[in-house]
Structure formats: structure tokens, C-alpha cells
Amino acid sequence: MSALITSDLSMQHALANGFQLPPLALYVHIPWCIRKCPYCDFNSHTATPELPEQAYVEAVLADLDLDLLHVHGRQLTSIFFGGGTPSLFSASALQALLAGIEQRIAFSANIEITLEANPGTFEQEKFAAYRALGINRLSIGIQSFQDSKLEALGRVHSGAEAIAAVSMARQAGFTNFNLDLMHGLPDQSPAQALADLQTAIDLAPSHLSWYQLTMEPNTVFWSKPPVLPEDDVLWDIQEAGQKLLAQHGFVQYEVSAYARAGAAAQHNLNYWSFGDFIGIGAGAHGKVSDPQGRIQRTWKTRQPSDYLDPDKAFLAGSNVLTPADLPFEFLMNALRLTQGVALQQFSQRTGLSTEVLQSGLALAEQRGLLSVEPERLAASAQGQLFLNDLLQIFLTAEH
């Protein structure tokens, strides 16, 4: 049987199982930072004294033009400017980007537009201008409020600058903002970790991303690892921190995401519920579907110099997901959500019958890793702690 016929049959099967085009988001990658942090494995590059803003804006919009075939009449539900440090870009550059995007794809009435920023790049006038552009959410990379820890992490801001940045964000008109905070830092005690967390809580953000520092390949910390807390210390920090967050009204809705009522990040919820997102910019990744149920991952050229080279393609590669890929691809996202997702969403987002999950569901429930809810897919409390073990069941059960 030819590959074309097999693909056609898969699409027919997907539509028969209730496949629906999911919501559509946009990720825009701006790859420059003041300095590369030793723990960072993102596609980020040390900024030159003058950034090629105009050339990059033109390239990103040209990149988007080639991806418009993936829109299929949908509006954008969210935009996320990530990096790197997007707040290194001027308000005029971001204005040109947003205007160009909206000319090409309609915005939903309640679109969420997030900009990542670091405290060292905060300027009151610039951030008020960002807010005036329609950017309605900030994600501020704090990591720690303790200067010794910030120095160990290679950060370019101080604890005082981090606190000032939050004040500037409020003065600029931002009421919805996330603070990004790490724990398990080099030689960090539980008391130090909880002091950081309490400081963040006292600043009254609408959202907190609170997660453990990990050693990632291709980073300075991977080749020259610092001394990190022992596992029992990390466990104490995690347990005490979650209690502290809950006491102050932050609901954990994902592995490392905590939000006040109504403030969950819509862009990230779309990722975790297997929604679609177009990725533009150097090294950006995307996941897109077509009305027939074909789903593919895309990734763009990583090096900014190559991305800006008119003789080189924006698209570095793509991969169409097979029916065998889809259960694991869906679950590794959906099971990160503490409440999981409705079981029927599996068929709506993958085009597969829920029958393909049954053997894995039975085994996961038997091991206490999955909540026993007939109409939902959700990890149990134990499953959230051992998410990799839970996912491994579905990686092997159907093959």
C-alpha cells in the first residue's frame, strides 16, 4: 500500500473519530540575551551592542507568511514572545511585529499576549509603551532574590532590581504577570528557597512558575556542574513550597505552574492540551494540524545569522506524527495538568479512538498513577510525582 493511500486512510479514520481543529496560538522567538546563563539550554545568543531589529522583524514576518497555510481560518488565542530576552527589543520593533501579525491573522477578542522580560532590561517608559501596544501579560525571569544565588546562576540583575522590576510592571499598567523562580540552587537550604518563594508571594503576582534547577546537556553547568542540594533537601523544599503557595491562594494547575483564580496562562494551557501553535523566529518550534487530521511538528533555523540570511530557508525541518506517535505526544502534555483533560479531547485532538489507550489506562490505574475517572485523563497525586514512569506505560503499552 502506498504512503499516499495510507495517509488518506489515516485522515479518514481521524475524521471518523471526531477530530476537530484545535485553538491556534503563536510563539515568536527573539534569541538574544545580555549574557548566556550557565544553566540555559534554550536557543539564546549574547546580544551585540546594536540588535538587528528591523531585519529580524522583517524576517519573522516573512517566516509567518510561509506558515499562513496552517491557519485554516482560525483566530489567534494567544501570542508569546519568548527568548532569549524579548524585552531587549524596542517598543517600536514589537509594535511593527504585532501590527504585521494582526494584518496576517485575526486576533480573538480576549487574546493573551505575553512578553518575557528580565529585571535587568526593565525601563519604566519602555514597559508602559509595551502595555500600550496591547501586550497584556509579562513573564519576569527572577530565578532568585538572593544576590549570592543570582551570581551563582550567572544572572545580570540583583535581588533589589528584581523587586523594582515588579513595581515598574505595575506602574506600567500590568495586572497580569508571572514571576519565574527556581529552587534547588547551588548550596541552597530549604530556608533560603522558602525565603525566595515568600518574597515572590509578597509581591502579589497573578502567576508563579516555580521549578527545580536541572542540569541540561550543552550547558556550562552540564560540563562543570555546581554542588546542588541532596535529594531529601529537594523533597523538603518542594513539599514545603507547595504548602506555602496553597496557603496564599495559588492553585497548582501544572507541574511547575501556580496561579490565582482565573490567571492560568492561556498560551501554556494550549500547549498542554495539545492545541496548535505556529512557531516563528530563530529556532522556534511549532505544532500544527490540518482539517483532515494530519498533525506535524516544525522547527526553524537556529542560528540568528542563518535565519537572517535571505539565501537560507526559515524552515529547518518538520515531522508528520504517525498514529503510533500520537498517544504519547498527547499524554506527555495533557498529564502535566493537575486536573488532566476530558477523555473525549483525546479523540478531538488526535483523531484516534480512545480504545487505543485502554491497556495503558488499565495498567496505570492498577499502579495508582492515574486517577480512576471514566471521563477524564488525569494523573493521580502519585502519578504527578512519577510522571515519567506514568508516561513510559503509554510509550510501551501500545507497541
Side-chain angles (χ1 to χ4, degrees), residues 82-327:
T85 306
S87 53
L88 289 176
F89 264 33
S90 66
S92 60
L94 292 179
Q95 180 180 32
L97 259 178
L98 280 169
I101 293 166
E102 191 168 17
Q103 287 171 2
R104 290 161 170 80
I105 312 177
F107 290 4
S108 66
N110 58 345
I111 188 170
E112 175 192 88
I113 306 177
T114 301
L115 177 81
E116 284 189 336
N118 284 333
T121 63
F122 265 78
E123 299 172 22
Q124 177 62 42
E125 185 176 342
K126 180 195 283 190
F127 278 78
Y130 289 161
R131 185 66 189 90
L133 296 178
I135 295 170
N136 51 25
R137 186 175 182 272
L138 289 178
S139 182
I140 307 172
I142 302 291
Q143 312 315 349
S144 176
F145 293 97
Q146 298 166 40
D147 289 345
S148 62
K149 302 305 180 190
L150 290 168
E151 184 177 353
L153 292 172
R155 302 294 286 172
V156 297
H157 68 270
S158 67
E161 285 175 320
I163 293 171
V166 176
S167 176
M168 289 183 191
R170 280 209 174 83
Q171 291 173 35
F174 287 96
T175 57
N176 187 13
F177 61 90
N178 168 65
L179 299 184
D180 216 61
L181 200 66
M182 287 182 177
H183 61 85
L185 307 183
D187 297 314
Q188 187 179 49
S189 68
Q192 290 173 325
L194 293 175
D196 262 352
L197 187 56
Q198 186 64 63
T199 300
I201 290 169
D202 291 343
L203 292 170
S206 52
H207 191 285
L208 271 166
S209 296
W210 188 63
Y211 54 93
Q212 183 182 322
L213 171 66
T214 55
M215 301 296 100
E216 301 293 343
N218 302 314
T219 65
V220 172
F221 274 3
W222 181 262
S223 58
K224 299 178 181 178
V227 177
L228 300 182
E230 299 289 341
D231 287 347
D232 57 344
V233 174
L234 294 172
W235 177 259
D236 290 343
I237 291 171
Q238 182 75 26
E239 193 171 45
Q242 288 181 328
K243 288 180 181 178
L244 184 64
L245 286 160
Q247 289 168 4
H248 287 84
F250 285 91
V251 175
Q252 183 180 15
Y253 68 97
E254 188 268 341
V255 171
S256 60
Y258 304 78
R260 296 193 185 278
Q266 296 308 302
H267 189 82
N268 289 339
L269 280 174
N270 187 56
Y271 283 158
W272 296 320
S273 59
F274 214 52
D276 276 1
F277 55 97
I278 292 171
I280 55 175
H285 285 242
K287 176 256 171 183
V288 289
S289 311
D290 66 22
Q292 288 72 45
R294 191 179 77 149
I295 301 169
Q296 64 177 316
R297 299 278 186 187
T298 65
W299 54 96
K300 303 298 174 63
T301 298
R302 284 180 59 86
Q303 288 294 329
S305 59
D306 291 337
Y307 186 83
L308 291 170
D309 187 338
D311 294 326
K312 295 184 178 179
F314 296 123
L315 184 66
S318 64
N319 177 42
V320 176
L321 300 180
T322 69
D325 296 328
L326 287 171

Side-chain angles (χ1 to χ4, degrees), residues 53-100:
E53 287 189 340
Q54 182 176 347
Y56 196 74
V57 168
E58 291 173 357
V60 164
L61 292 177
D63 186 0
L64 180 57
D65 283 334
L66 298 177
D67 276 348
L68 293 179
L69 74 164
H70 301 306
V71 175
H72 302 296
R74 290 173 289 181
Q75 296 181 332
L76 287 178
T77 59
S78 65
I79 300 173
F80 194 100
F81 291 98
T85 306
S87 53
L88 289 176
F89 264 33
S90 66
S92 60
L94 292 179
Q95 180 180 32
L97 259 178
L98 280 169

